[in-house]
Amino acid sequence: MKTQLHFNESISWKKGMREKLFIFDTTLRDGEQSPGASMNAAEKIRLATQLEKLGVDIIEAGFPAASEGDFKAVAQVAEKIKTAEVAALARATISDIDRAWEAVSAAAKPRIHTFLATSDIHMKYKLNMNREQVLASAVEAVAYAKRFTDNIEFSAEDGSRSDPDFLCRVFEAVIAAGAKTVNLPDTVGYAIPEEFGDLVRYVLRNTPNIGKAVLSVHCHNDLGLATANTIAAIKAGARQAEVTINGIGERAGNTALEEVVMALNTRPTFVPVTTGIDTRQIYPVSRLVRMITGIVVQPNKAIVGANAFAHEAGIHQDGMLKNPMTYEIMRPETIGLTSNRLIMGKHSGKHALDSKLKNMGYDLSAEELKVIFEKFKALADRKKTVEDEDIEALVNEEILRTSDIFALEYLHVSSGTTVFPTASVKISINGRTVKGFGSGNGPIDAVYNVIAQLTGTKSELLRFSINALTGGTDAQGEVTVRLREDGLVALGKGSDPDIITASANAYINGLNRLEYLKQNPTTTTETL
Ligand code: KIV
Ligand code: ZN
């Protein structure tokens, strides 16, 4: 039977016969539209650098017209990235396109990505435009963008719910005006794989000049079908996939890069395409996104979830021991999960730490390595073995640091079954020490009350979560907080074997990041 599954497909497939699939990563733009996931310029640069290392073809860095902060972040990413294309999003208006070009023009390979809705429902209720007006505006936008660059992408927003013939007319017209990529988004995650594949085939057959452009797809995950729809579209002939790391994005998110790439790698005979992705970078970049955005990855998430390679059932474990291929369709090393975890402790030196970090996908500057090494030594004095998760937390806390206004100097709590919880806290504010004393429902509440009093913060605590980084009672607690003030949302993180200290550090980190955001406002997603 032709469709019979072979576990060694990847070994038998001949490389040379595949067509290139362009991977367009929009973690920094659509991913950033996940509630509370806004990133500052330094975080965008850090992530873009990792995405480049991962081998994505295009990095959509942001939406410059949305805010001054995002404009600057896109411009900085554009300057930094050398091998991947850097795209900036723009509505189909002159001012958005000007702004996008201004932000992205310094890139080695800049791209303008302009979009306009083509579905009847969007045109009537959102745009208040008829089909002819939309067609004319789309063409005008692409023709205007062509003054700046040949690398133009046009997206037909809500494409999957658009009249297919109108969609083809729009694509034909924008390609004639100069678009080199035409993108068909399933904006609201409404499509079903078979139907979406058929739509892609229809577009390829009924857009006369489609040969002059790359047909792209961009799927949302409202029905949990984003990856399936993307694969169906690629099978039908789409040659660019728009994706995000961990599938983050607007509402239920976007197609996850790791799912599409690993599906194509694991089943290479199903769709004859190849990508430039170095799959060993998938896990490190997934962890970085988790850390920067504070959006946790569900344990059973495909490819990058904590349980994705864990075998619990006895029968499975037995099979795995006899031959891993009985229950494992991918090797964990393929996505960068290190199998032989080098245990680090207080006798480990800087070189060992450096090589460990490189293995984990972190390329740090000499200055950063120095800071991390000092923190590592301090932790190793308190914890017998320092595991990968501990090291990762140290690195990522460093990444999340902003120029700090507040710092924790001293903390003492008193609590227990018969004691009213109280806290004494000393913090420095711009180098000046202040101290306070207070109480609360529990020790963490008491500490937070004192910190709030000392800093005078008006912020609201939207989320507080504690997670043990590794096993054992000496594990570090990792605390994540989300704070909101005047519409700005900041994430704070802290980790320490003492969970009260971790909580205090997370709150202070969040307050510092909130101050940073006040001075450097980033994306406002309301504009979309
Ligand atoms: O979902 C969508 O339609 C988009 C477009 C801007 C491409 O994100
Ligand atoms: Zn989208």
Side-chain angles (χ1 to χ4, degrees):
M1 188 170 80
K2 196 171 176 291
T3 52
Q4 189 180 351
L5 310 181
H6 294 288
F7 62 81
N8 60 351
E9 256 180 88
S10 53
I11 305 162
S12 59
W13 182 250
K14 300 208 176 31
K15 259 193 155 195
M17 295 162 70
R18 302 178 199 180
E19 271 182 55
K20 166 94 179 168
L21 173 76
F22 294 94
I23 299 290
F24 177 113
D25 183 280
T26 182
T27 310
L28 300 179
R29 198 278 298 170
D30 216 324
E32 200 195 26
Q33 286 171 222
S34 310
S38 67
M39 303 171 216
N40 62 39
E43 289 161 352
K44 282 199 168 188
I45 291 168
R46 169 85 57 172
L47 195 45
T49 309
Q50 286 291 331
L51 289 169
E52 189 172 43
K53 205 163 153 193
L54 175 68
V56 307
D57 299 286
I58 304 107
I59 297 173
E60 186 164 52
F63 182 22
S67 74
E68 186 58 29
D70 209 33
F71 172 83
K72 286 189 184 144
V74 174
Q76 289 180 42
V77 170
E79 291 214 351
K80 171 86 191 185
I81 297 302
K82 295 290 170 253
T83 56
E85 293 179 24
V86 179
L89 186 68
R91 285 165 297 193
T93 65
I94 304 283
S95 58
D96 267 32
I97 293 169
D98 280 341
R99 203 72 181 132
W101 179 248
E102 225 184 303
V104 91
S105 54
K109 300 175 190 169
R111 175 182 291 203
I112 295 176
H113 176 195
T114 186
F115 71 99
L116 191 60
T118 51
S119 66
D120 288 338
I121 186 165
H122 275 232
M123 288 189 288
K124 181 168 177 199
Y125 295 103
K126 189 180 88 171
L127 300 175
N128 198 18
M129 287 165 92
N130 62 33
R131 288 187 179 190
E132 297 316 310
Q133 288 168 321
V134 163
L135 185 73
S137 296
V139 168
E140 216 174 287
V142 171
Y144 185 71
K146 198 153 165 33
R147 295 180 181 194
F148 305 118
T149 176
D150 279 343
N151 193 356
I152 304 159
E153 170 169 341
F154 175 81
S155 281
E157 194 189 8
D158 207 18
S160 60
R161 292 195 301 168
S162 303
D163 168 36
D165 289 322
F166 179 58
L167 190 61
C168 294
R169 264 185 77 204
V170 172
F171 280 169
E172 183 184 357
V174 294
I175 293 169
K180 290 285 183 286
T181 304
V182 283
N183 182 35
L184 165 45
D186 182 27
T187 302
V188 289
Y190 180 74
I192 300 289
E194 207 182 338
E195 166 201 59
F196 197 56
D198 285 347
L199 180 58
V200 166
R201 267 184 285 272
Y202 190 86
V203 168
L204 287 171
R205 278 191 204 123
N206 294 285
T207 309
N209 53 1
I210 195 73
K212 294 189 176 147
V214 173
L215 178 60
S216 167
V217 288
H218 172 116
C219 299
H220 280 269
N221 204 28
D222 299 65
L223 294 173
L225 292 170
T227 298
N229 283 330
T230 302
I231 297 287
I234 298 167
K235 176 92 180 154
R239 286 297 174 262
Q240 175 176 285
E242 300 202 353
V243 290
T244 61
I245 303 293
N246 298 341
I248 64 169
E250 189 79 42
R251 303 181 312 279
N254 290 60
T255 308
L257 177 147
E258 63 276 11
E259 292 176 12
V260 171
V261 168
M262 289 314 291
L264 296 174
N265 274 28
T266 308
R267 304 297 311 280
T269 55
F270 185 68
V271 196
V273 293
T274 184
T275 71
I277 299 294
D278 174 358
T279 59
R280 288 163 309 169
Q281 297 299 329
I282 285 179
Y283 192 68
V285 80
S286 158
R287 300 286 295 180
L288 184 62
V289 168
R290 187 191 85 111
M291 198 54 75
I292 287 179
T293 60
I295 299 175
V296 291
V297 173
Q298 76 200 59
N300 58 324
K301 161 86 180 63
I303 320 293
V304 292
N307 297 345
F309 293 91
H311 300 271
E312 190 73 22
I315 297 174
H316 289 209
Q317 288 175 351
D318 181 54
M320 284 289 293
L321 288 172
K322 289 174 178 150
N323 181 344
M325 280 183 179
T326 51
Y327 284 103
E328 206 166 64
I329 58 165
M330 299 164 270
R331 297 297 301 155
E333 305 85 84
T334 323
I335 64 147
L337 261 169
T338 40
S339 56
N340 48 350
R341 294 158 68 103
L342 180 64
I343 302 293
M344 308 283 288
K346 66 177 174 190
H347 300 299
S348 311
K350 207 179 194 169
H351 285 302
L353 181 66
D354 191 26
S355 104
K356 174 89 182 166
L357 285 165
K358 289 212 165 82
N359 257 329
M360 291 167 71
Y362 295 112
D363 229 339
L364 302 186
S365 66
E367 198 46 46
E368 287 170 325
L369 181 64
K370 192 166 161 255
V371 177
I372 300 297
F373 186 62
E374 277 162 23
K375 291 187 167 185
F376 162 75
K377 281 287 180 193
L379 180 64
D381 274 340
R382 300 170 68 195
K383 197 169 178 279
K384 214 164 66 210
T385 55
V386 179
E387 298 182 39
D388 288 8
E389 290 80 357
D390 295 315
I391 295 174
E392 192 170 53
L394 293 181
V395 176
N396 289 318
E397 261 166 48
E398 194 51 33
I399 291 169
L400 286 180
R401 263 194 36 197
T402 48
S403 40
D404 292 350
I405 293 175
F406 310 113
L408 179 68
E409 289 191 346
Y410 168 88
L411 172 66
H412 177 86
V413 290
S414 166
S415 72
T417 49
T418 54
V419 186
F420 189 59
T422 55
S424 302
V425 184
K426 234 191 244 179
I427 62 171
S428 69
I429 304 181
N430 281 325
R432 185 176 54 88
T433 300
V434 290
K435 56 185 174 192
F437 177 82
S439 60
N441 275 339
I444 295 173
D445 191 40
V447 170
Y448 276 36
N449 287 341
V450 181
I451 294 175
Q453 193 192 95
L454 293 175
T455 56
T457 181
K458 302 270 177 301
S459 63
E460 178 194 352
L461 182 65
L462 295 180
R463 195 182 113 197
F464 173 92
S465 68
I466 294 190
N467 173 37
L469 276 178
T470 54
T473 49
D474 73 337
Q476 290 204 86
E478 181 195 49
V479 176
T480 306
V481 298
R482 202 178 281 287
L483 305 175
R484 180 170 57 199
E485 188 176 339
D486 290 338
L488 297 172
V489 176
L491 178 82
K493 276 191 177 278
S495 53
D496 196 277
D498 177 327
I499 57 167
I500 314 284
T501 306
S503 305
N505 280 333
Y507 192 22
I508 285 175
N509 179 238
L511 291 173
N512 280 321
R513 288 167 60 81
L514 209 45
E515 290 305 314
Y516 179 90
L517 274 184
K518 286 182 199 165
Q519 266 123 55
N520 307 276
T522 48
T523 317
T524 48
T525 52
E526 289 89 63
T527 342
L528 262 183

